Amino acid sequence: MNTRAQKIPGPDHPITVKHNPARVRVTLGGKVIADSVNSLTLQEASYPAVHYIPRKDVDMSLLQRTDYESYCPYKGEASYFSIPLGGERSKNAVWSYENPYEAVAGIKEHVAFYPDRVDSIEELSSPEPGKF
């Protein structure tokens, strides 16, 4: 039985999840780890916005699941991945809510990156449809 407290976002702790119209690219050690035009941006209370990138747009072969876990009463249990390419700096650099709470269900099958554990997380303008 899960005895952890679950909280619902509201006026005192708002959370929004929106499609990001930009192309989001994550790099480390000269390699593109993720590249997506289908990312989501999660804005939680006064915290910095976080890009959640669909797993299908992430080179998951470059990630290694770890035993580390964390818990957010608004989002649920997070699992973590390291990026061996980045060495010690990139330990537990990536997290995912594999079974997120209903309020943030859209981030299921997505991952997020700590900006200080990769070389860059860029938002690039996406061309308008038909304009390449």
Side-chain angles (χ1 to χ4, degrees):
M1 181 171 126
N2 186 353
T3 59
R4 290 185 159 170
Q6 180 178 348
K7 296 182 179 180
I8 307 297
D12 59 327
H13 193 96
I15 297 178
T16 58
V17 179
K18 295 181 180 176
H19 174 262
N20 185 336
R23 178 180 182 183
V24 177
R25 184 183 300 151
V26 180
T27 60
L28 177 65
K31 289 196 179 267
V32 174
I33 308 295
D35 192 347
S36 182
V37 295
N38 296 303
S39 68
L40 301 172
T41 300
L42 184 144
Q43 181 64 58
E44 180 175 0
S46 61
Y47 301 119
V50 175
H51 301 297
Y52 281 82
I53 300 171
R55 286 181 181 220
K56 67 180 183 58
D57 296 335
V58 177
D59 188 345
M60 296 297 288
S61 71
L62 298 175
L63 308 184
Q64 184 176 66
R65 185 181 289 272
T66 69
D67 291 334
Y68 186 73
E69 296 178 343
S70 66
Y71 179 75
C72 170
Y74 294 96
K75 297 186 293 285
E77 294 181 10
S79 56
Y80 286 77
F81 300 83
S82 291
I83 311 171
L85 175 68
E88 194 63 27
R89 168 185 173 215
S90 297
K91 185 176 179 183
N92 296 318
V94 185
W95 73 92
S96 179
Y97 290 93
E98 294 173 342
N99 294 296
Y101 290 146
E102 187 176 333
V104 295
I107 64 172
K108 185 178 178 99
E109 297 298 321
H110 289 65
V111 301
F113 294 81
Y114 283 109
D116 61 339
R117 297 183 191 183
V118 295
D119 291 341
S120 68
I121 300 175
E122 299 175 285
E123 282 187 90
L124 309 165
S125 59
S126 294
E128 293 179 34
K131 303 203 179 205
F132 297 100

